[in-house]
Amino acid sequence: MAGSSLWVVQLASLLAVGFVLGPVEASVGDVDPHYRTCVKECRSTSIIGSKIISHCQSPENDSTPAGSSWYTQEPLYTQWRQLNCMTDCRYYCMMQREEERKSGGLSPVKYHGKWPFICVSVFQEPLSAALSALNLLMHFTSWLSFFLLVNYRLPLRPQTKRTYYEYTGLWHIYAILSMNAWFWSSIFHTRDIDLTEKLDYSSAVALLGYSLILALLRTFNVKDEATRVMFAAPILAFVTTHILYLNFYDLDYGWNMKVCIVMGVVQLLAWAIWAGVTRHPSRFKIWTVVFGGALAMLLEVYDFPPYKGYADAHSLWHASTIPLTYLWWSFIKDDAEFRTSTLVKKAK
C-alpha cells in the first residue's frame, strides 16, 4: 500500500494550501477601491452598468434580522444558491472589474481569496465541481470492483464464509469516507458558503485521519481486534476533537494545515518504509502513485489564474487525482489477491 502514501500526501498538500489560501478575505481584488465602490453602489441602486440585480430590489435583499420569526427567514434553497444581493453584486462587480483590468493589460487577481471564475448556473467553480464528482464516481466504481472481487471472485473461508483478506472491512470504510469527501468537495465548489466549507474541510480531515489509521494497521500487519482498537482510539479521539474545534470554536486554517501535514507525512513514511521492506508484488504501482502525486502537488504550489475563467491549478489537481485513484484501488485489489493467495496456501 505504499501507493496510498502518495495519495495521502496529495490530500495533505491540498488541505494545507486550501486552508491557508482559501479563507483569505483581504485579497488584492476585494481591496480595490473601484471594486468596493461598485459593490456599494450596486447594493444601493441594484444596477451595475446596464444590468439590474433583481435580488437587490427586494426588501430582504441581504439577510433577515436575527430576531425575526422562522417563517420570515429566507428559504433554505435560496440560502444554498446564495443568490442574494451581496453575492450577485460581488460577482458582477468582479467580472466588470476584471474586464477593465484586462483592457488595461493587467492580469487577473483574487477576490475574497478566490480567482474570478465564470459561474455556470449555480456552479461557482464548474470545472472543479465536475472533476470532484468524477473523483467520487471513480472511487465508487473502484470500490464496487473491489467488493465483487473479495466477495465473489476470491475464495471465502469455509467455516465463516468471510473473506480471507483481513482488511476488507477497513477498505469498505475507506471507500465510504472517500466518496463522502469528494461529494462535499463537489458541493463546496458548486457553492462556497460557511456550511459547505466546513462540511468539505471536515470530511477531508476525517478521511485523512482514517487513512492514517489504515496505513498503520496495514503496514504493521495488525490483525487482532483489540490491538486495532489500541492503534485507532487515540487517533480517532484526536481527529474528532480537531473537527469539533474547527466547526464550533475556531476555524483556524494555520493550525489545521499543520495537523494535516503531520498526518500526511506520517502516512507517507509508513507506506514508503513498508513498501521497501516487504517488496510487495505491486510495489511499482505504489511508486507510480507516489511519484505522480508528487508531481500533482506542484499544481497546488504553483497557482495560476483560471484559463478562460474555468481551469485553474486547483481544478487540474482534481483532474490528476482521477487516474491516481484508479491506480490506487488497483493496488488495493492486488493486495487482496496477494494476501488471499498466501492465506489459502497456508490453510492447505
Side-chain angles (χ1 to χ4, degrees), residues 188 275 281-282:
F188 173 62
S282 296

Side-chain angles (χ1 to χ4, degrees), residues 211-249:
S211 296
L212 173 59
I213 295 172
L214 185 52
L216 295 177
L217 294 181
R218 183 64 187 94
T219 56
F220 285 96
N221 201 27
V222 180
K223 303 171 186 175
D224 179 68
E225 292 297 328
T227 308
R228 286 184 173 184
V229 172
M230 291 177 61
F231 266 84
I235 300 175
L236 282 175
F238 174 77
V239 171
T240 302
T241 303
H242 179 63
I243 291 174
L244 292 173
Y245 175 84
L246 293 176
N247 281 274
F248 301 106
Y249 183 71

Side-chain angles (χ1 to χ4, degrees), residues 307-320:
Y307 178 73
K308 299 295 185 180
Y310 297 104
D312 68 334
H314 185 68
S315 63
L316 295 182
W317 183 91
H318 281 309
S320 71

Side-chain angles (χ1 to χ4, degrees), residues 122-143:
V122 298
F123 298 92
Q124 289 182 334
E125 301 175 42
L127 185 57
S128 289
L131 290 172
S132 293
L134 287 177
N135 271 282
L136 188 159
L137 180 62
M138 179 59 70
H139 272 285
F140 174 74
T141 56
S142 298
W143 165 75

